[in-house]
């Protein structure tokens, strides 16, 4: 089976819009994950922060994996009772 490659200008407006939306979502997810990683203490991250920073760059999978597996739960301190 031969794959044919289409140029951007050959795509419909709907196809172009879907690609732009997917790219924007991917960039937003990665930016949010990197922002969270940069502010989270190393003790609150499962594994090396550098490895997670690289993993986040992997399409949609990296940010999703970081959110699901890379962060340790934040334990809120109990409020003091007077």
């Amino acid at each position: 089976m031969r794959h044919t490659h289409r140029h951007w200008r050959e795509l419909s407006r709907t196809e172009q819009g879907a690609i732009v939306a997917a790219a924007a979502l991917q960039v937003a997810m990665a930016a949010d994950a990197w922002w969270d990683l940069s502010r989270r203490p190393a003790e609150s991250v499962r594994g090396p922060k550098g490895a997670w920073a690289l993993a986040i760059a992997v399409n949609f999978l990296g940010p999703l994996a970081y959110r699901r597996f890379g962060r340790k739960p934040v334990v809120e301190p109990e409020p003091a009772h007077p």
Side-chain angles (χ1 to χ4, degrees), residues 12-67:
S12 70
R13 288 270 190 207
T14 302
E15 291 169 323
Q16 289 176 351
I19 291 169
V20 169
L25 178 61
Q26 180 180 340
V27 169
M29 289 172 58
D32 179 65
W34 279 318
W35 181 85
D36 181 83
L37 181 64
S38 71
R39 284 158 178 73
R40 187 172 293 271
E43 310 82 55
S44 297
V45 176
R46 290 187 179 106
K49 288 178 78 169
W52 280 113
L54 291 174
I56 289 169
V58 179
N59 289 332
F60 291 99
L61 187 60
L64 292 173
Y66 170 70
R67 288 286 184 193

Side-chain angles (χ1 to χ4, degrees), residues 40 43-46 68-76:
R40 187 172 293 271
E43 310 82 55
S44 297
V45 176
R46 290 187 179 106
R68 174 64 180 90
F69 303 110
R71 303 181 311 162
K72 293 180 182 176
V74 176
V75 178
E76 297 293 328

